[in-house]
Amino acid sequence: MAMNDSVNILNSAYLAVEYIDSFLPDNPLQQPFKNAWNYMLDNYTKFQIATWGSLIVHEVSYFLLCVPGFIFQFIPYMQKYKIQQDKPETWEKQWKCFKTLLFNHFFIQLPLICGTYYFTEYFNIPYGWEEMPRWYVLVGQCFGCAVIEDAWHYFLHRLLHHKRIYKYIHKVHHEFVSPFGMQAEYAHPLETLILGAGFFIGIVVFCNHVVLLWAWVICRLMETIDVHSGYDVPLNPLHLVPFYAGARFHDFHHMNFIGNYASTFTWWDRLFGTDSQFIAYQEKEKRKQCLTKK
């Protein structure tokens, strides 16, 4: 009975969004996007699209999303939004991070990306324009992927902090106490595989078109680069996402090497009490601000 009720609620929500969408004006970018998508299908094989397309989406998205945080370090006005103001970025750390990223991207992640075509063929995932899901379906699927990945990340990330394991794998990621956006994927190769596996679970569950692979890549990179940015910028649109953790939440984890283990949302840490030190820290900071104002 409960399952039927849940299905009915989801169906009703889907119909409501579909009804609202029918009143929205046509997206002016839809036709150019359709033309570009069909050009891609006409001129490249599925293997080329799945492999090189996925690599390009990942690399371009990753480094473009890192640009704002990189620029912030040169803007004095933005320094008031930096969380750990006593630990500025250095060229030495950023260069070291960049070199490690290139190694991980091309020697760890690229071999995995090469399996994308075979994954889509095995599950008969379409590439065509006509089969592409509507925007609201894609948003819902990305949110579902985020929920699944967040659960995986919480428990495996917490395990990597175990005293018998930490120094061999996860310590690499914690080399930078004050994180910056580009450091989001700076990690031991084993960690890249262990925590990265959570990314693919949602794809297996929800994927009904290759475009979800790319949309979820962009969403996941947007989130992880934001929480590692080191800046708590006001009017951040990601803060509109329910239960979103954000940069301040994850920055505390890098400062203290404990607690706040989830990647995107706050509910797992709240449920298991692993955010208690962060909550106490926030209350302490609020008291300091109140005393300063007085």
Side-chain angles (χ1 to χ4, degrees), residues 78-112:
M78 295 304 297
Q79 297 313 302
K80 65 180 179 180
Y81 300 122
K82 183 168 173 57
I83 300 167
Q84 298 187 55
Q85 297 186 9
D86 59 331
K87 297 182 178 68
E89 297 90 342
T90 66
W91 286 107
E92 181 184 2
K93 290 181 179 179
Q94 290 176 98
W95 176 240
K96 182 179 181 180
C97 178
F98 180 71
K99 290 187 293 183
T100 302
L101 279 179
L102 290 183
F103 176 85
N104 284 349
H105 285 184
F106 289 97
F107 291 95
I108 306 298
Q109 296 182 17
L110 179 57
L112 296 175

PDB file of all heavy atoms in Angstrom, residues 78-112:
ATOM      1  N   MET A  78      36.712  39.843  -2.389  1.00  0.00           N
ATOM      2  CA  MET A  78      36.201  38.489  -2.167  1.00  0.00           C
ATOM      3  C   MET A  78      36.822  37.825  -0.952  1.00  0.00           C
ATOM      4  O   MET A  78      36.329  36.786  -0.494  1.00  0.00           O
ATOM      5  CB  MET A  78      36.448  37.620  -3.405  1.00  0.00           C
ATOM      6  CG  MET A  78      35.681  38.054  -4.642  1.00  0.00           C
ATOM      7  SD  MET A  78      33.891  38.140  -4.369  1.00  0.00           S
ATOM      8  CE  MET A  78      33.509  36.444  -3.996  1.00  0.00           C
ATOM      9  N   GLN A  79      37.889  38.405  -0.406  1.00  0.00           N
ATOM     10  CA  GLN A  79      38.568  37.754   0.719  1.00  0.00           C
ATOM     11  C   GLN A  79      37.715  37.715   1.993  1.00  0.00           C
ATOM     12  O   GLN A  79      37.940  36.884   2.863  1.00  0.00           O
ATOM     13  CB  GLN A  79      39.900  38.446   0.997  1.00  0.00           C
ATOM     14  CG  GLN A  79      40.898  38.348  -0.152  1.00  0.00           C
ATOM     15  CD  GLN A  79      41.003  36.918  -0.700  1.00  0.00           C
ATOM     16  OE1 GLN A  79      41.328  35.976   0.028  1.00  0.00           O
ATOM     17  NE2 GLN A  79      40.697  36.747  -1.997  1.00  0.00           N
ATOM     18  N   LYS A  80      36.725  38.589   2.078  1.00  0.00           N
ATOM     19  CA  LYS A  80      35.854  38.555   3.261  1.00  0.00           C
ATOM     20  C   LYS A  80      34.944  37.328   3.240  1.00  0.00           C
ATOM     21  O   LYS A  80      34.358  36.978   4.268  1.00  0.00           O
ATOM     22  CB  LYS A  80      35.030  39.839   3.356  1.00  0.00           C
ATOM     23  CG  LYS A  80      34.036  40.042   2.225  1.00  0.00           C
ATOM     24  CD  LYS A  80      33.293  41.355   2.437  1.00  0.00           C
ATOM     25  CE  LYS A  80      32.294  41.630   1.329  1.00  0.00           C
ATOM     26  NZ  LYS A  80      31.575  42.910   1.533  1.00  0.00           N
ATOM     27  N   TYR A  81      34.831  36.693   2.070  1.00  0.00           N
ATOM     28  CA  TYR A  81      34.017  35.478   1.964  1.00  0.00           C
ATOM     29  C   TYR A  81      34.848  34.209   2.081  1.00  0.00           C
ATOM     30  O   TYR A  81      34.296  33.113   2.090  1.00  0.00           O
ATOM     31  CB  TYR A  81      33.253  35.463   0.628  1.00  0.00           C
ATOM     32  CG  TYR A  81      32.320  36.632   0.457  1.00  0.00           C
ATOM     33  CD1 TYR A  81      32.456  37.497  -0.620  1.00  0.00           C
ATOM     34  CD2 TYR A  81      31.316  36.888   1.390  1.00  0.00           C
ATOM     35  CE1 TYR A  81      31.604  38.580  -0.781  1.00  0.00           C
ATOM     36  CE2 TYR A  81      30.461  37.974   1.242  1.00  0.00           C
ATOM     37  CZ  TYR A  81      30.608  38.815   0.154  1.00  0.00           C
ATOM     38  OH  TYR A  81      29.757  39.884   0.014  1.00  0.00           O
ATOM     39  N   LYS A  82      36.172  34.372   2.162  1.00  0.00           N
ATOM     40  CA  LYS A  82      37.032  33.202   2.322  1.00  0.00           C
ATOM     41  C   LYS A  82      36.884  32.667   3.741  1.00  0.00           C
ATOM     42  O   LYS A  82      36.941  33.423   4.708  1.00  0.00           O
ATOM     43  CB  LYS A  82      38.492  33.540   2.041  1.00  0.00           C
ATOM     44  CG  LYS A  82      39.408  32.321   2.123  1.00  0.00           C
ATOM     45  CD  LYS A  82      40.783  32.609   1.561  1.00  0.00           C
ATOM     46  CE  LYS A  82      41.743  31.457   1.809  1.00  0.00           C
ATOM     47  NZ  LYS A  82      41.254  30.182   1.242  1.00  0.00           N
ATOM     48  N   ILE A  83      36.694  31.361   3.863  1.00  0.00           N
ATOM     49  CA  ILE A  83      36.382  30.760   5.160  1.00  0.00           C
ATOM     50  C   ILE A  83      37.606  30.737   6.068  1.00  0.00           C
ATOM     51  O   ILE A  83      37.549  31.143   7.223  1.00  0.00           O
ATOM     52  CB  ILE A  83      35.805  29.348   4.964  1.00  0.00           C
ATOM     53  CG1 ILE A  83      34.528  29.430   4.126  1.00  0.00           C
ATOM     54  CG2 ILE A  83      35.513  28.688   6.306  1.00  0.00           C
ATOM     55  CD1 ILE A  83      34.037  28.103   3.591  1.00  0.00           C
ATOM     56  N   GLN A  84      38.740  30.254   5.550  1.00  0.00           N
ATOM     57  CA  GLN A  84      39.983  30.233   6.338  1.00  0.00           C
ATOM     58  C   GLN A  84      40.892  31.358   5.824  1.00  0.00           C
ATOM     59  O   GLN A  84      41.784  31.123   5.006  1.00  0.00           O
ATOM     60  CB  GLN A  84      40.669  28.869   6.216  1.00  0.00           C
ATOM     61  CG  GLN A  84      39.839  27.712   6.746  1.00  0.00           C
ATOM     62  CD  GLN A  84      40.613  26.414   6.767  1.00  0.00           C
ATOM     63  OE1 GLN A  84      41.694  26.310   7.338  1.00  0.00           O
ATOM     64  NE2 GLN A  84      40.053  25.385   6.129  1.00  0.00           N
ATOM     65  N   GLN A  85      40.657  32.551   6.308  1.00  0.00           N
ATOM     66  CA  GLN A  85      41.358  33.719   5.786  1.00  0.00           C
ATOM     67  C   GLN A  85      42.841  33.741   6.133  1.00  0.00           C
ATOM     68  O   GLN A  85      43.619  34.452   5.497  1.00  0.00           O
ATOM     69  CB  GLN A  85      40.670  34.991   6.299  1.00  0.00           C
ATOM     70  CG  GLN A  85      39.239  35.122   5.803  1.00  0.00           C
ATOM     71  CD  GLN A  85      38.615  36.442   6.194  1.00  0.00           C
ATOM     72  OE1 GLN A  85      39.269  37.350   6.703  1.00  0.00           O
ATOM     73  NE2 GLN A  85      37.310  36.570   5.945  1.00  0.00           N
ATOM     74  N   ASP A  86      43.233  32.967   7.126  1.00  0.00           N
ATOM     75  CA  ASP A  86      44.643  32.937   7.520  1.00  0.00           C
ATOM     76  C   ASP A  86      45.455  31.927   6.706  1.00  0.00           C
ATOM     77  O   ASP A  86      46.658  31.767   6.936  1.00  0.00           O
ATOM     78  CB  ASP A  86      44.776  32.598   9.007  1.00  0.00           C
ATOM     79  CG  ASP A  86      44.146  31.249   9.351  1.00  0.00           C
ATOM     80  OD1 ASP A  86      43.186  30.841   8.655  1.00  0.00           O
ATOM     81  OD2 ASP A  86      44.616  30.606  10.304  1.00  0.00           O
ATOM     82  N   LYS A  87      44.804  31.243   5.755  1.00  0.00           N
ATOM     83  CA  LYS A  87      45.504  30.241   4.945  1.00  0.00           C
ATOM     84  C   LYS A  87      45.243  30.495   3.458  1.00  0.00           C
ATOM     85  O   LYS A  87      44.435  29.817   2.815  1.00  0.00           O
ATOM     86  CB  LYS A  87      45.057  28.829   5.318  1.00  0.00           C
ATOM     87  CG  LYS A  87      45.384  28.430   6.753  1.00  0.00           C
ATOM     88  CD  LYS A  87      44.946  27.004   7.025  1.00  0.00           C
ATOM     89  CE  LYS A  87      45.299  26.567   8.435  1.00  0.00           C
ATOM     90  NZ  LYS A  87      44.516  27.295   9.452  1.00  0.00           N
ATOM     91  N   PRO A  88      45.927  31.472   2.863  1.00  0.00           N
ATOM     92  CA  PRO A  88      45.720  31.783   1.446  1.00  0.00           C
ATOM     93  C   PRO A  88      46.283  30.694   0.535  1.00  0.00           C
ATOM     94  O   PRO A  88      47.158  29.922   0.930  1.00  0.00           O
ATOM     95  CB  PRO A  88      46.481  33.101   1.272  1.00  0.00           C
ATOM     96  CG  PRO A  88      47.553  33.055   2.317  1.00  0.00           C
ATOM     97  CD  PRO A  88      46.932  32.343   3.488  1.00  0.00           C
ATOM     98  N   GLU A  89      45.760  30.656  -0.680  1.00  0.00           N
ATOM     99  CA  GLU A  89      46.277  29.709  -1.665  1.00  0.00           C
ATOM    100  C   GLU A  89      47.709  30.108  -2.062  1.00  0.00           C
ATOM    101  O   GLU A  89      48.075  31.279  -2.011  1.00  0.00           O
ATOM    102  CB  GLU A  89      45.398  29.701  -2.932  1.00  0.00           C
ATOM    103  CG  GLU A  89      43.977  29.246  -2.712  1.00  0.00           C
ATOM    104  CD  GLU A  89      43.026  30.382  -2.365  1.00  0.00           C
ATOM    105  OE1 GLU A  89      43.531  31.458  -1.971  1.00  0.00           O
ATOM    106  OE2 GLU A  89      41.799  30.193  -2.473  1.00  0.00           O
ATOM    107  N   THR A  90      48.505  29.117  -2.469  1.00  0.00           N
ATOM    108  CA  THR A  90      49.864  29.390  -2.944  1.00  0.00           C
ATOM    109  C   THR A  90      50.035  28.763  -4.324  1.00  0.00           C
ATOM    110  O   THR A  90      49.380  27.771  -4.658  1.00  0.00           O
ATOM    111  CB  THR A  90      50.927  28.814  -1.998  1.00  0.00           C
ATOM    112  OG1 THR A  90      50.845  27.373  -2.007  1.00  0.00           O
ATOM    113  CG2 THR A  90      50.728  29.328  -0.577  1.00  0.00           C
ATOM    114  N   TRP A  91      50.919  29.350  -5.114  1.00  0.00           N
ATOM    115  CA  TRP A  91      51.174  28.809  -6.448  1.00  0.00           C
ATOM    116  C   TRP A  91      51.752  27.399  -6.367  1.00  0.00           C
ATOM    117  O   TRP A  91      51.454  26.547  -7.192  1.00  0.00           O
ATOM    118  CB  TRP A  91      52.139  29.727  -7.204  1.00  0.00           C
ATOM    119  CG  TRP A  91      51.509  30.997  -7.679  1.00  0.00           C
ATOM    120  CD1 TRP A  91      51.697  32.244  -7.189  1.00  0.00           C
ATOM    121  CD2 TRP A  91      50.551  31.119  -8.735  1.00  0.00           C
ATOM    122  NE1 TRP A  91      50.927  33.154  -7.869  1.00  0.00           N
ATOM    123  CE2 TRP A  91      50.223  32.486  -8.832  1.00  0.00           C
ATOM    124  CE3 TRP A  91      49.950  30.231  -9.607  1.00  0.00           C
ATOM    125  CZ2 TRP A  91      49.312  32.982  -9.764  1.00  0.00           C
ATOM    126  CZ3 TRP A  91      49.041  30.713 -10.550  1.00  0.00           C
ATOM    127  CH2 TRP A  91      48.731  32.057 -10.627  1.00  0.00           C
ATOM    128  N   GLU A  92      52.581  27.177  -5.361  1.00  0.00           N
ATOM    129  CA  GLU A  92      53.210  25.865  -5.204  1.00  0.00           C
ATOM    130  C   GLU A  92      52.158  24.767  -5.006  1.00  0.00           C
ATOM    131  O   GLU A  92      52.210  23.714  -5.655  1.00  0.00           O
ATOM    132  CB  GLU A  92      54.165  25.891  -4.012  1.00  0.00           C
ATOM    133  CG  GLU A  92      54.886  24.562  -3.777  1.00  0.00           C
ATOM    134  CD  GLU A  92      55.761  24.593  -2.534  1.00  0.00           C
ATOM    135  OE1 GLU A  92      55.786  25.622  -1.840  1.00  0.00           O
ATOM    136  OE2 GLU A  92      56.398  23.560  -2.253  1.00  0.00           O
ATOM    137  N   LYS A  93      51.191  25.025  -4.124  1.00  0.00           N
ATOM    138  CA  LYS A  93      50.135  24.039  -3.865  1.00  0.00           C
ATOM    139  C   LYS A  93      49.238  23.845  -5.080  1.00  0.00           C
ATOM    140  O   LYS A  93      48.841  22.716  -5.403  1.00  0.00           O
ATOM    141  CB  LYS A  93      49.307  24.479  -2.661  1.00  0.00           C
ATOM    142  CG  LYS A  93      50.036  24.383  -1.331  1.00  0.00           C
ATOM    143  CD  LYS A  93      49.137  24.822  -0.184  1.00  0.00           C
ATOM    144  CE  LYS A  93      49.859  24.691   1.150  1.00  0.00           C
ATOM    145  NZ  LYS A  93      49.004  25.140   2.289  1.00  0.00           N
ATOM    146  N   GLN A  94      48.919  24.932  -5.748  1.00  0.00           N
ATOM    147  CA  GLN A  94      48.032  24.838  -6.904  1.00  0.00           C
ATOM    148  C   GLN A  94      48.701  24.092  -8.061  1.00  0.00           C
ATOM    149  O   GLN A  94      48.050  23.326  -8.773  1.00  0.00           O
ATOM    150  CB  GLN A  94      47.594  26.241  -7.336  1.00  0.00           C
ATOM    151  CG  GLN A  94      46.644  26.873  -6.321  1.00  0.00           C
ATOM    152  CD  GLN A  94      46.268  28.302  -6.670  1.00  0.00           C
ATOM    153  OE1 GLN A  94      45.224  28.564  -7.236  1.00  0.00           O
ATOM    154  NE2 GLN A  94      47.132  29.237  -6.319  1.00  0.00           N
ATOM    155  N   TRP A  95      49.981  24.309  -8.249  1.00  0.00           N
ATOM    156  CA  TRP A  95      50.696  23.614  -9.302  1.00  0.00           C
ATOM    157  C   TRP A  95      50.801  22.120  -9.000  1.00  0.00           C
ATOM    158  O   TRP A  95      50.611  21.277  -9.880  1.00  0.00           O
ATOM    159  CB  TRP A  95      52.084  24.224  -9.485  1.00  0.00           C
ATOM    160  CG  TRP A  95      52.952  23.515 -10.488  1.00  0.00           C
ATOM    161  CD1 TRP A  95      54.158  22.929 -10.255  1.00  0.00           C
ATOM    162  CD2 TRP A  95      52.686  23.304 -11.878  1.00  0.00           C
ATOM    163  NE1 TRP A  95      54.659  22.370 -11.395  1.00  0.00           N
ATOM    164  CE2 TRP A  95      53.775  22.581 -12.419  1.00  0.00           C
ATOM    165  CE3 TRP A  95      51.630  23.662 -12.718  1.00  0.00           C
ATOM    166  CZ2 TRP A  95      53.834  22.203 -13.771  1.00  0.00           C
ATOM    167  CZ3 TRP A  95      51.686  23.271 -14.071  1.00  0.00           C
ATOM    168  CH2 TRP A  95      52.784  22.571 -14.569  1.00  0.00           C
ATOM    169  N   LYS A  96      51.089  21.787  -7.749  1.00  0.00           N
ATOM    170  CA  LYS A  96      51.156  20.392  -7.344  1.00  0.00           C
ATOM    171  C   LYS A  96      49.802  19.713  -7.526  1.00  0.00           C
ATOM    172  O   LYS A  96      49.716  18.570  -8.005  1.00  0.00           O
ATOM    173  CB  LYS A  96      51.587  20.292  -5.875  1.00  0.00           C
ATOM    174  CG  LYS A  96      51.726  18.856  -5.371  1.00  0.00           C
ATOM    175  CD  LYS A  96      52.188  18.813  -3.918  1.00  0.00           C
ATOM    176  CE  LYS A  96      52.342  17.369  -3.449  1.00  0.00           C
ATOM    177  NZ  LYS A  96      52.804  17.293  -2.033  1.00  0.00           N
ATOM    178  N   CYS A  97      48.742  20.417  -7.167  1.00  0.00           N
ATOM    179  CA  CYS A  97      47.385  19.896  -7.321  1.00  0.00           C
ATOM    180  C   CYS A  97      47.076  19.654  -8.796  1.00  0.00           C
ATOM    181  O   CYS A  97      46.524  18.613  -9.158  1.00  0.00           O
ATOM    182  CB  CYS A  97      46.383  20.887  -6.729  1.00  0.00           C
ATOM    183  SG  CYS A  97      44.667  20.404  -6.911  1.00  0.00           S
ATOM    184  N   PHE A  98      47.438  20.601  -9.645  1.00  0.00           N
ATOM    185  CA  PHE A  98      47.157  20.494 -11.081  1.00  0.00           C
ATOM    186  C   PHE A  98      47.848  19.279 -11.691  1.00  0.00           C
ATOM    187  O   PHE A  98      47.249  18.540 -12.475  1.00  0.00           O
ATOM    188  CB  PHE A  98      47.614  21.774 -11.785  1.00  0.00           C
ATOM    189  CG  PHE A  98      47.364  21.779 -13.268  1.00  0.00           C
ATOM    190  CD1 PHE A  98      46.070  21.892 -13.763  1.00  0.00           C
ATOM    191  CD2 PHE A  98      48.419  21.663 -14.169  1.00  0.00           C
ATOM    192  CE1 PHE A  98      45.836  21.892 -15.136  1.00  0.00           C
ATOM    193  CE2 PHE A  98      48.192  21.661 -15.531  1.00  0.00           C
ATOM    194  CZ  PHE A  98      46.897  21.777 -16.023  1.00  0.00           C
ATOM    195  N   LYS A  99      49.096  19.038 -11.329  1.00  0.00           N
ATOM    196  CA  LYS A  99      49.837  17.889 -11.873  1.00  0.00           C
ATOM    197  C   LYS A  99      49.202  16.566 -11.452  1.00  0.00           C
ATOM    198  O   LYS A  99      49.085  15.635 -12.255  1.00  0.00           O
ATOM    199  CB  LYS A  99      51.302  17.949 -11.426  1.00  0.00           C
ATOM    200  CG  LYS A  99      52.103  19.062 -12.071  1.00  0.00           C
ATOM    201  CD  LYS A  99      53.585  18.963 -11.725  1.00  0.00           C
ATOM    202  CE  LYS A  99      53.846  19.208 -10.258  1.00  0.00           C
ATOM    203  NZ  LYS A  99      55.303  19.184  -9.951  1.00  0.00           N
ATOM    204  N   THR A 100      48.795  16.488 -10.186  1.00  0.00           N
ATOM    205  CA  THR A 100      48.146  15.266  -9.701  1.00  0.00           C
ATOM    206  C   THR A 100      46.811  15.049 -10.390  1.00  0.00           C
ATOM    207  O   THR A 100      46.440  13.917 -10.719  1.00  0.00           O
ATOM    208  CB  THR A 100      47.942  15.336  -8.174  1.00  0.00           C
ATOM    209  OG1 THR A 100      49.213  15.525  -7.546  1.00  0.00           O
ATOM    210  CG2 THR A 100      47.295  14.062  -7.642  1.00  0.00           C
ATOM    211  N   LEU A 101      46.084  16.143 -10.620  1.00  0.00           N
ATOM    212  CA  LEU A 101      44.801  16.051 -11.316  1.00  0.00           C
ATOM    213  C   LEU A 101      44.968  15.475 -12.714  1.00  0.00           C
ATOM    214  O   LEU A 101      44.193  14.609 -13.130  1.00  0.00           O
ATOM    215  CB  LEU A 101      44.152  17.435 -11.416  1.00  0.00           C
ATOM    216  CG  LEU A 101      43.404  17.960 -10.201  1.00  0.00           C
ATOM    217  CD1 LEU A 101      42.868  19.350 -10.494  1.00  0.00           C
ATOM    218  CD2 LEU A 101      42.257  17.032  -9.837  1.00  0.00           C
ATOM    219  N   LEU A 102      45.956  15.965 -13.438  1.00  0.00           N
ATOM    220  CA  LEU A 102      46.179  15.478 -14.800  1.00  0.00           C
ATOM    221  C   LEU A 102      46.473  13.980 -14.792  1.00  0.00           C
ATOM    222  O   LEU A 102      45.986  13.233 -15.652  1.00  0.00           O
ATOM    223  CB  LEU A 102      47.316  16.246 -15.467  1.00  0.00           C
ATOM    224  CG  LEU A 102      47.033  17.708 -15.817  1.00  0.00           C
ATOM    225  CD1 LEU A 102      48.225  18.311 -16.533  1.00  0.00           C
ATOM    226  CD2 LEU A 102      45.787  17.835 -16.684  1.00  0.00           C
ATOM    227  N   PHE A 103      47.259  13.535 -13.821  1.00  0.00           N
ATOM    228  CA  PHE A 103      47.552  12.102 -13.720  1.00  0.00           C
ATOM    229  C   PHE A 103      46.275  11.313 -13.451  1.00  0.00           C
ATOM    230  O   PHE A 103      45.996  10.321 -14.130  1.00  0.00           O
ATOM    231  CB  PHE A 103      48.572  11.844 -12.605  1.00  0.00           C
ATOM    232  CG  PHE A 103      48.849  10.378 -12.385  1.00  0.00           C
ATOM    233  CD1 PHE A 103      49.798   9.717 -13.162  1.00  0.00           C
ATOM    234  CD2 PHE A 103      48.152   9.661 -11.412  1.00  0.00           C
ATOM    235  CE1 PHE A 103      50.045   8.365 -12.979  1.00  0.00           C
ATOM    236  CE2 PHE A 103      48.397   8.309 -11.216  1.00  0.00           C
ATOM    237  CZ  PHE A 103      49.341   7.656 -12.002  1.00  0.00           C
ATOM    238  N   ASN A 104      45.486  11.756 -12.467  1.00  0.00           N
ATOM    239  CA  ASN A 104      44.257  11.037 -12.130  1.00  0.00           C
ATOM    240  C   ASN A 104      43.249  11.047 -13.274  1.00  0.00           C
ATOM    241  O   ASN A 104      42.596  10.036 -13.547  1.00  0.00           O
ATOM    242  CB  ASN A 104      43.614  11.650 -10.885  1.00  0.00           C
ATOM    243  CG  ASN A 104      44.335  11.256  -9.603  1.00  0.00           C
ATOM    244  OD1 ASN A 104      45.188  10.371  -9.611  1.00  0.00           O
ATOM    245  ND2 ASN A 104      44.008  11.907  -8.506  1.00  0.00           N
ATOM    246  N   HIS A 105      43.126  12.189 -13.931  1.00  0.00           N
ATOM    247  CA  HIS A 105      42.151  12.299 -15.012  1.00  0.00           C
ATOM    248  C   HIS A 105      42.469  11.390 -16.194  1.00  0.00           C
ATOM    249  O   HIS A 105      41.570  10.777 -16.776  1.00  0.00           O
ATOM    250  CB  HIS A 105      42.068  13.751 -15.495  1.00  0.00           C
ATOM    251  CG  HIS A 105      41.315  14.646 -14.559  1.00  0.00           C
ATOM    252  ND1 HIS A 105      41.040  15.968 -14.830  1.00  0.00           N
ATOM    253  CD2 HIS A 105      40.768  14.406 -13.327  1.00  0.00           C
ATOM    254  CE1 HIS A 105      40.358  16.495 -13.820  1.00  0.00           C
ATOM    255  NE2 HIS A 105      40.204  15.569 -12.904  1.00  0.00           N
ATOM    256  N   PHE A 106      43.753  11.308 -16.547  1.00  0.00           N
ATOM    257  CA  PHE A 106      44.103  10.595 -17.778  1.00  0.00           C
ATOM    258  C   PHE A 106      44.595   9.165 -17.553  1.00  0.00           C
ATOM    259  O   PHE A 106      44.561   8.351 -18.480  1.00  0.00           O
ATOM    260  CB  PHE A 106      45.145  11.396 -18.565  1.00  0.00           C
ATOM    261  CG  PHE A 106      44.574  12.653 -19.172  1.00  0.00           C
ATOM    262  CD1 PHE A 106      44.708  13.875 -18.533  1.00  0.00           C
ATOM    263  CD2 PHE A 106      43.860  12.604 -20.358  1.00  0.00           C
ATOM    264  CE1 PHE A 106      44.150  15.024 -19.067  1.00  0.00           C
ATOM    265  CE2 PHE A 106      43.315  13.748 -20.912  1.00  0.00           C
ATOM    266  CZ  PHE A 106      43.456  14.966 -20.270  1.00  0.00           C
ATOM    267  N   PHE A 107      45.017   8.840 -16.340  1.00  0.00           N
ATOM    268  CA  PHE A 107      45.497   7.478 -16.093  1.00  0.00           C
ATOM    269  C   PHE A 107      44.560   6.658 -15.201  1.00  0.00           C
ATOM    270  O   PHE A 107      44.680   5.435 -15.154  1.00  0.00           O
ATOM    271  CB  PHE A 107      46.902   7.510 -15.485  1.00  0.00           C
ATOM    272  CG  PHE A 107      47.954   7.991 -16.437  1.00  0.00           C
ATOM    273  CD1 PHE A 107      48.344   9.320 -16.447  1.00  0.00           C
ATOM    274  CD2 PHE A 107      48.539   7.122 -17.356  1.00  0.00           C
ATOM    275  CE1 PHE A 107      49.303   9.779 -17.339  1.00  0.00           C
ATOM    276  CE2 PHE A 107      49.497   7.565 -18.255  1.00  0.00           C
ATOM    277  CZ  PHE A 107      49.882   8.888 -18.250  1.00  0.00           C
ATOM    278  N   ILE A 108      43.646   7.330 -14.513  1.00  0.00           N
ATOM    279  CA  ILE A 108      42.673   6.622 -13.670  1.00  0.00           C
ATOM    280  C   ILE A 108      41.267   6.751 -14.253  1.00  0.00           C
ATOM    281  O   ILE A 108      40.577   5.752 -14.503  1.00  0.00           O
ATOM    282  CB  ILE A 108      42.677   7.163 -12.223  1.00  0.00           C
ATOM    283  CG1 ILE A 108      44.092   7.131 -11.631  1.00  0.00           C
ATOM    284  CG2 ILE A 108      41.700   6.360 -11.361  1.00  0.00           C
ATOM    285  CD1 ILE A 108      44.687   5.743 -11.522  1.00  0.00           C
ATOM    286  N   GLN A 109      40.841   7.986 -14.504  1.00  0.00           N
ATOM    287  CA  GLN A 109      39.475   8.208 -14.950  1.00  0.00           C
ATOM    288  C   GLN A 109      39.260   7.907 -16.436  1.00  0.00           C
ATOM    289  O   GLN A 109      38.203   7.395 -16.809  1.00  0.00           O
ATOM    290  CB  GLN A 109      39.051   9.643 -14.632  1.00  0.00           C
ATOM    291  CG  GLN A 109      39.004   9.926 -13.135  1.00  0.00           C
ATOM    292  CD  GLN A 109      38.533  11.325 -12.811  1.00  0.00           C
ATOM    293  OE1 GLN A 109      37.950  12.008 -13.642  1.00  0.00           O
ATOM    294  NE2 GLN A 109      38.780  11.770 -11.602  1.00  0.00           N
ATOM    295  N   LEU A 110      40.228   8.226 -17.280  1.00  0.00           N
ATOM    296  CA  LEU A 110      40.058   7.965 -18.715  1.00  0.00           C
ATOM    297  C   LEU A 110      39.839   6.484 -19.019  1.00  0.00           C
ATOM    298  O   LEU A 110      38.952   6.144 -19.815  1.00  0.00           O
ATOM    299  CB  LEU A 110      41.250   8.514 -19.504  1.00  0.00           C
ATOM    300  CG  LEU A 110      41.187   8.286 -21.026  1.00  0.00           C
ATOM    301  CD1 LEU A 110      39.917   8.880 -21.611  1.00  0.00           C
ATOM    302  CD2 LEU A 110      42.431   8.873 -21.706  1.00  0.00           C
ATOM    303  N   PRO A 111      40.609   5.550 -18.419  1.00  0.00           N
ATOM    304  CA  PRO A 111      40.310   4.125 -18.665  1.00  0.00           C
ATOM    305  C   PRO A 111      38.883   3.743 -18.268  1.00  0.00           C
ATOM    306  O   PRO A 111      38.258   2.910 -18.935  1.00  0.00           O
ATOM    307  CB  PRO A 111      41.338   3.401 -17.791  1.00  0.00           C
ATOM    308  CG  PRO A 111      42.485   4.350 -17.698  1.00  0.00           C
ATOM    309  CD  PRO A 111      41.851   5.705 -17.629  1.00  0.00           C
ATOM    310  N   LEU A 112      38.374   4.364 -17.200  1.00  0.00           N
ATOM    311  CA  LEU A 112      36.987   4.100 -16.808  1.00  0.00           C
ATOM    312  C   LEU A 112      36.017   4.685 -17.834  1.00  0.00           C
ATOM    313  O   LEU A 112      35.004   4.055 -18.179  1.00  0.00           O
ATOM    314  CB  LEU A 112      36.705   4.708 -15.426  1.00  0.00           C
ATOM    315  CG  LEU A 112      37.488   4.129 -14.248  1.00  0.00           C
ATOM    316  CD1 LEU A 112      37.181   4.905 -12.980  1.00  0.00           C
ATOM    317  CD2 LEU A 112      37.154   2.656 -14.051  1.00  0.00           C
TER     318      LEU A 112
END
